[in-house]
């Protein structure tokens, strides 16, 4: 979305946006914010949540990560090499599916030994610099995978959770036009990114 804000501004010159990038949930009421685009789903009865995108999580590493050859598709190896984890998945019991293990297809990965990172772009850049392995929303990895800066690993180990990006706004009887227009624009942006 960020790379296309000039396009939105040109198409809708009468709509003025106050854009803030923060690493924490915001309070739309007290902060006087019309709309929040969030990777986290926030349970709040005063907010309406509209999913803009749902994408899978994939395992990635830098091709230059020294331990890459030692990574095997088992919980102990993954835990050893996963040094960073996106904050929203920083869980004691992250469900993962093992495609090739019919006896125990679903296991749990303890992510608490990794360092939490609250921004997927920062996590991607950290992994590109040799910061171990991690799982990330595939949409954040496409260009780095295409350029060879990242490699997808562990295809048989799938996090049993999707990544979502949602638009959050206050419940109103009628949704203001600027919110409807920006949500439609945001949906178009993420659909082109897939």
């Amino acid at each position: 979305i960020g790379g296309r804000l000039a396009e939105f501004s040109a198409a809708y010159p009468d709509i003025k946006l106050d854009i803030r990038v923060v690493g924490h949930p915001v309070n739309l009421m007290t902060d006087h914010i019309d709309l929040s685009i969030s990777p986290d789903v926030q349970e709040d009865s005063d907010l309406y949540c509209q999913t803009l995108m749902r994408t899978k999580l994939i395992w990635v590493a830098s091709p230059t990560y020294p331990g890459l050859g030692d990574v095997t598709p088992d919980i102990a190896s993954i835990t050893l090499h996963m040094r960073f984890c996106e904050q929203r998945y920083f869980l004691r019991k992250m469900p993962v599916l093992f495609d090739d293990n019919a006896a125990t297809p679903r296991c749990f990965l303890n992510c608490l030994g990794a360092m939490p990172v609250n921004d997927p772009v920062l996590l991607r850049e950290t992994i590109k610099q040799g910061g171990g392995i991690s799982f990330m929303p595939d949409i954040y990895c496409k260009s780095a995978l295409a350029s060879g800066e990242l490699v997808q690993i562990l295809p048989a180990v799938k996090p049993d959770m999707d990544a979502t990006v949602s638009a959050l706004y206050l419940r109103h009887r009628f949704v203001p036009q600027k919110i409807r227009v920006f949500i439609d624009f945001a949906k178009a942006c993420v659909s082109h990114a897939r």
Side-chain angles (χ1 to χ4, degrees):
I1 296 170
R4 296 183 57 192
L5 287 176
E7 178 185 331
F8 178 83
S9 182
Y12 303 99
D14 295 336
I15 297 179
K16 302 299 178 205
L17 300 172
D18 176 5
I19 299 168
R20 304 174 202 180
V21 178
V22 296
H24 56 82
V26 294
N27 186 319
L28 275 63
M29 291 183 80
T30 60
D31 294 339
H32 306 288
I33 297 173
D34 295 314
L35 175 72
S36 172
I37 305 295
S38 175
D40 298 318
V41 175
Q42 300 172 4
E43 300 297 326
D44 190 328
S45 61
D46 294 331
L47 297 180
Y48 182 76
C49 179
Q50 186 171 347
T51 300
L52 301 176
M53 177 193 68
R54 184 174 305 278
T55 186
K56 65 182 179 172
L57 297 168
I58 61 170
W59 288 97
V60 293
S62 167
T64 62
Y65 170 56
L68 187 58
D70 300 327
V71 177
T72 57
D74 62 81
I75 294 292
S77 177
I78 293 168
T79 303
L80 177 67
H81 292 279
M82 190 173 82
R83 298 182 184 157
F84 300 91
C85 178
E86 191 179 338
Q87 180 72 46
R88 63 182 153 161
Y89 308 114
F90 191 66
L91 305 169
R92 181 177 305 282
K93 292 180 82 173
M94 173 68 183
V96 292
L97 298 173
F98 286 81
D99 283 351
D100 58 353
N101 188 344
T104 55
R106 188 169 195 230
C107 296
F108 295 96
L109 177 65
N110 183 346
C111 300
L112 300 184
M115 184 181 301
V117 178
N118 72 346
D119 177 58
V121 174
L122 178 60
L123 177 60
R124 179 192 64 212
E125 296 305 307
T126 301
I127 299 304
K128 280 171 43 177
Q129 297 302 314
I133 69 170
S134 195
F135 57 90
M136 300 184 58
D138 67 350
I139 195 166
Y140 290 104
C141 303
K142 289 185 185 267
S143 64
L145 289 167
S147 71
E149 295 172 288
L150 287 177
V151 291
Q152 186 172 351
I153 60 171
L154 302 172
V157 182
K158 295 177 176 61
D160 192 17
M161 183 181 288
D162 287 334
T164 60
V165 175
S166 301
L168 303 166
Y169 51 94
L170 293 172
R171 292 185 184 271
H172 296 288
R173 185 173 175 160
F174 300 103
V175 179
Q177 180 184 8
K178 69 179 182 178
I179 291 176
R180 285 194 319 266
V181 168
F182 192 77
I183 288 173
D184 289 344
F185 173 77
K187 283 182 176 179
C189 288
V190 296
S191 71
H192 286 105
R194 287 187 209 172

